[in-house]
Amino acid sequence: MSMPFPYGNSLARARRNAADRGHESNSWWKLLELWLLWTERGRQRAGLRDIADDPHLLADLGLTREEVLDQANQPFWR
């Protein structure tokens, strides 16, 4: 899974450090994690749209074109 920026481990390390110190979870970290999740979903769904017309790749995935397009057309927040 690719990250939109190369500092993905920093986020996990910072959260671990905060948890080690007994701090409450920061809502900014949750917001950042949610944004990263939505970004990744959008990237994956764009990739699905790209392969929807390639019967060989669809056969490799074991999915039909309609299944791929149904998934690709879902909103990023779902």
Side-chain angles (χ1 to χ4, degrees), residues 1 4 6 8 12-15 17 19-20 24-25 27 33 37-38 43 46 48-49 55 61 63-64 67 70:
M1 183 184 303
R13 188 171 41 255
R15 289 198 63 158
N17 291 341
D20 290 343
E24 290 294 318
S25 180
S27 61
E33 286 176 338
L37 174 67
W38 286 352
R43 188 191 64 75
L48 282 173
R49 271 186 223 94
L61 292 173
L63 299 171
T64 65
E67 291 171 328
D70 284 344

Side-chain angles (χ1 to χ4, degrees), residues 4-77:
F5 52 91
Y7 303 106
N9 291 336
S10 308
L11 175 62
R13 188 171 41 255
R15 289 198 63 158
R16 245 187 339 271
N17 291 341
D20 290 343
R21 291 188 304 263
H23 292 165
E24 290 294 318
S25 180
N26 189 332
S27 61
W28 288 107
W29 289 119
K30 288 182 181 181
L31 184 61
L32 178 60
E33 286 176 338
L34 185 60
W35 179 77
L36 290 172
L37 174 67
W38 286 352
T39 302
E40 181 63 18
R41 280 184 189 162
R43 188 191 64 75
Q44 290 176 0
R45 289 175 181 170
L48 282 173
R49 271 186 223 94
D50 290 343
I51 67 167
D53 292 324
D54 188 335
H56 297 291
L57 291 176
L58 293 176
D60 286 345
L61 292 173
L63 299 171
T64 65
R65 183 175 191 274
E66 291 76 25
E67 291 171 328
V68 168
L69 289 176
D70 284 344
Q71 181 65 36
N73 290 330
Q74 285 188 12
F76 63 87
W77 58 86

